[in-house]
């Protein structure tokens, strides 16, 4: 009887479609987001993450429609991020059916936003997405705007500040690994897990089911996120859980 | 049967409404109107957010607390509180200050401090049920940093383990409260909602 490690398929969405790139660029179409969500729901995914990687103001309605349509048929946890800047943005996503909202660039620009949102919506609702890139041995810096903009900020320090300000969870993506299928950046993951009292979701770089095991047993992640591995049919959610369970990691079977 | 789902700006209304319909409700009336709540036959109080903000939002609607007391305590209509909606049933909540709750189930809502574990608890945890409970054993989805410390053991309808036992559900007479999200707990949650809807 214990909390299960979450297996989370991530749907990167742009202009109403699921897309997947390498190192945050070079996007490839991966289908309809609501259909993909329903498939993952049926497969027993523990949570879904939608990231609006285009995140343009004029396309906000499309994202809300996708979240709403998904929440109407999938009775499972949904986390949504991309372009979230204000309490009104959070409210709109929650009303559409999101359970948690992920903030990134806006939190880096103005960390007070994390505190403000946690006060209104509760810390359990606010995920801070940390997109980090290695700049030296054991030193990673924060990038924003989908990985395009360097900030010079230390990723471990920022994750700690985010948690102190009320982030309920850190969604940690290694931009060096994202889309490369070479595994999570375990050193980065360990550093962030040790620095924050909140759960850390490992993201970026999964190429095989063994990478998921490493994220938990070596990296200490509370949840493992992958995109391509699941989207292109290489592995199912059930297979992922079977491999985790074989490594003595608690999972929920459905 | 019809279900009245209370809209006080602090809940995942759409998901709760859709899940209730999928679980067998004939209709879900989403309302922020105290008069409608006072007359309701079956009430769901959702809740996402901080305890203080939620109770303030609920009390911010003129006559709402009185309407809830009329329907749930005097008329004894079936009531379901979800997550913070369950926590509001307590005497008080300690989240960003100390706030008075509805006072229906004795106890207080306090921050969890499980040794060596992350807070909030986010994810699927195994629920154990107690005798006579609507809650059955299985995995449910939790997302919370605060837990209901219930005074009277007889009010506890379900437990989960997170470092220590935590109250997953409370039940007394016509009232049921769930710390987890049935509307987000796939088939486990829908079947529980179905049992609640089928009950008296």
């Amino acid at each position: 009887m214990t909390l299960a490690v979450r297996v989370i398929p991530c749907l990167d969405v742009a202009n109403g479609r699921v897309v997947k790139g390498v190192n945050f660029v070079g996007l490839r179409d991966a289908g309809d987001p609501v259909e993909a969500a329903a498939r993952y729901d049926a497969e027993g995914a523990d949570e879904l993450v939608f990231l609006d990687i285009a995140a343009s103001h004029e396309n906000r309605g499309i994202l809300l429609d996708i979240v709403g349509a998904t929440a109407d048929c999938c009775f499972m946890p949904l986390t949504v991020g991309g372009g979230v800047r204000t309490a009104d943005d959070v409210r709109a996503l929650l009303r559409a059916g999101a359970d948690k909202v992920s903030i990134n660039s806006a939190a880096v620009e103005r960390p007070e936003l994390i505190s403000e949102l946690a006060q209104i919506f509760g810390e359990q609702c606010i995920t801070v997405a940390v997109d980090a890139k290695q700049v030296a041995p054991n030193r990673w810096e924060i990038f924003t705007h989908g990985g395009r903009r360097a900030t010079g900020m230390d990723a471990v320090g920022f994750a700690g500040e985010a948690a102190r300000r009320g982030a309920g969870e850190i969604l940690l993506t290694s931009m060096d690994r994202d889309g490369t299928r070479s595994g999570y950046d375990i050193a980065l993951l360990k550093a962030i897990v040790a620095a924050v009292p909140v759960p850390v979701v490992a993201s970026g770089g999964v190429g095989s089911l063994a990478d998921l095991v490493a994220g938990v047993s070596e990296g200490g992640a509370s949840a493992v996120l992958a995109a391509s591995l699941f989207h292109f049919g290489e592995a199912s959610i059930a297979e992922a859980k079977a491999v985790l369970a074989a490594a003595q990691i608690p999972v929920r079977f459905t | 049967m019809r279900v009245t789902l209370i809209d006080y700006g602090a809940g995942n209304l759409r998901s709760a409404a859709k899940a209730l319909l999928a679980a067998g409700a004939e209709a879900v009336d989403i309302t922020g109107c105290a008069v409608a709540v006072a007359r309701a036959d079956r009430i769901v109080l959702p809740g996402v957010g901080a305890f203080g903000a939620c109770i303030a939002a609920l009390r911010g609607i003129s006559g709402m607390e009185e309407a809830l007391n009329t329907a749930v305590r005097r008329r004894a209509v079936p009531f379901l509180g979800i997550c913070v909606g369950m926590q509001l049933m307590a005497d008080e909540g300690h989240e960003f200050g100390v706030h008075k709750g509805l006072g229906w189930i004795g106890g207080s809502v306090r921050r969890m401090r499980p040794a060596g574990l992350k807070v909030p608890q986010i994810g699927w945890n195994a629920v154990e049920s107690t005798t006579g409970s609507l809650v059955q054993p299985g995995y449910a989805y939790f997302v919370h940093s605060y837990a209901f410390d219930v005074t009277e053991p007889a009010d506890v309808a379900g437990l989960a383990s997170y470092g220590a036992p935590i109250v997953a559900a409370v039940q007394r007479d016509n009232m049921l409260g769930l710390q987890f999200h049935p509307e987000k707990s796939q088939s486990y949650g829908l079947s529980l909602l179905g049992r609640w809807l089928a009950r008296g």
Side-chain angles (χ1 to χ4, degrees):
Chain A
M1 221 183 63
T2 185
L3 184 68
V5 165
R6 286 170 280 156
V7 175
I8 306 176
C10 178
L11 298 146
D12 291 333
V13 176
N15 307 313
R17 298 290 289 175
V18 182
V19 292
K20 189 60 206 165
V22 175
N23 296 114
F24 283 42
V25 292
L27 302 176
R28 171 178 170 194
D29 190 289
D32 177 75
V34 182
E35 278 174 27
R39 189 172 69 242
Y40 291 135
D41 180 35
E43 281 187 20
D46 296 314
E47 180 175 333
L48 290 177
V49 170
F50 282 112
L51 291 181
D52 181 3
I53 62 168
S56 59
H57 185 68
E58 55 273 23
N59 283 337
R60 210 61 194 167
I62 300 177
L63 178 69
L64 290 172
D65 287 346
I66 291 169
V67 173
T70 302
D72 286 354
C73 63
C74 301
F75 300 105
M76 63 182 299
L78 304 177
T79 301
V80 185
V84 176
R85 310 199 70 84
T86 66
D88 283 343
D89 292 340
V90 175
R91 197 170 285 115
L93 287 168
L94 296 180
R95 287 195 87 94
D99 301 282
K100 289 184 282 166
V101 170
S102 172
I103 52 175
N104 173 252
S105 306
V108 175
E109 285 159 23
R110 202 173 68 80
E112 299 80 10
L113 178 66
I114 303 168
S115 324
E116 293 161 15
L117 297 177
Q119 285 267 353
I120 300 170
F121 303 104
E123 62 181 19
Q124 82 296 326
C125 187
I126 306 301
T127 295
V128 170
V130 171
D131 292 345
K133 204 168 192 167
Q134 188 156 19
V135 293
N138 291 312
R139 163 114 185 145
W140 299 266
E141 287 183 1
I142 298 280
F143 282 66
T144 59
H145 297 80
R148 295 185 298 274
R149 195 175 295 176
T151 65
M153 290 168 68
D154 176 58
V156 177
F158 176 72
E161 180 181 7
R164 277 193 301 280
R165 287 188 175 278
E169 182 175 67
I170 301 293
L171 170 53
L172 175 65
T173 302
S174 159
M175 287 186 322
D176 301 304
R177 300 298 179 93
D178 189 60
T180 64
R181 311 179 57 87
S182 53
Y184 296 125
D185 183 337
I186 297 294
L188 168 65
L189 189 51
K190 284 171 81 165
I192 301 277
V193 167
V196 299
V198 301
V200 176
V201 181
S203 160
V206 172
S208 73
L209 295 175
D211 294 335
L212 303 180
V213 174
V216 179
S217 56
E218 294 172 41
S222 296
V224 285
L225 179 147
S228 314
L229 184 75
F230 298 129
H231 291 327
F232 299 113
E234 291 159 49
S236 68
I237 301 296
E239 285 164 347
K241 290 189 176 182
V243 168
L244 289 164
Q248 314 301 322
I249 293 166
V251 292
R252 174 186 69 117
F253 285 105
T254 50
Chain B
M1 70 287 306
R2 300 186 80 85
V3 177
T4 297
L5 181 60
I6 302 181
D7 180 5
Y8 62 114
N12 194 337
L13 296 170
R14 181 170 174 157
S15 294
K18 293 287 178 182
L20 286 161
L21 290 169
E26 281 155 23
V28 177
D29 303 316
I30 297 177
T31 182
C33 168
V35 175
V37 170
R39 290 183 189 147
D41 295 326
R42 188 173 277 271
I43 296 171
V44 174
L45 181 65
V48 169
F51 189 104
C54 285
I55 196 73
L58 194 66
R59 292 195 169 116
I61 301 173
S62 177
M64 183 58 84
E65 186 172 9
E66 177 58 26
L68 273 168
N69 278 312
T70 299
V72 179
R73 304 311 300 277
R74 287 198 276 285
R75 293 175 44 231
V77 303
F79 171 88
L80 171 62
I82 298 174
C83 196
V84 180
M86 168 260 214
Q87 295 181 350
L88 296 183
M89 297 162 81
D91 293 325
E92 60 182 31
H94 296 240
E95 183 172 7
F96 297 118
V98 181
H99 310 273
K100 193 171 167 293
L102 294 168
W104 295 348
I105 301 269
S108 59
V109 176
R110 293 174 184 276
R111 190 166 181 90
M112 297 188 289
R113 302 192 187 282
L117 295 177
K118 300 290 192 182
V119 175
Q121 166 172 230
I122 300 179
W124 298 77
N125 202 334
V127 174
E128 272 188 279
S129 62
T130 57
T131 313
S133 168
L134 277 175
V135 177
Q136 289 183 356
Y139 273 95
Y141 180 74
F142 291 80
V143 51
H144 64 126
S145 300
Y146 292 76
F148 194 164
D149 187 1
V150 175
T151 307
E152 184 57 58
D155 292 336
V156 175
L159 289 167
S161 174
Y162 197 58
I166 56 161
V167 172
V170 293
Q171 188 177 337
R172 189 205 290 165
D173 306 326
N174 57 315
M175 298 180 287
L176 177 67
L178 305 173
Q179 177 60 70
F180 54 85
H181 287 272
E183 80 281 18
K184 293 289 173 175
S185 295
Q186 292 175 336
S187 58
Y188 175 83
L190 294 185
S191 63
L192 173 52
L193 290 175
R195 286 193 299 280
W196 179 72
L197 288 165
R199 182 174 178 254

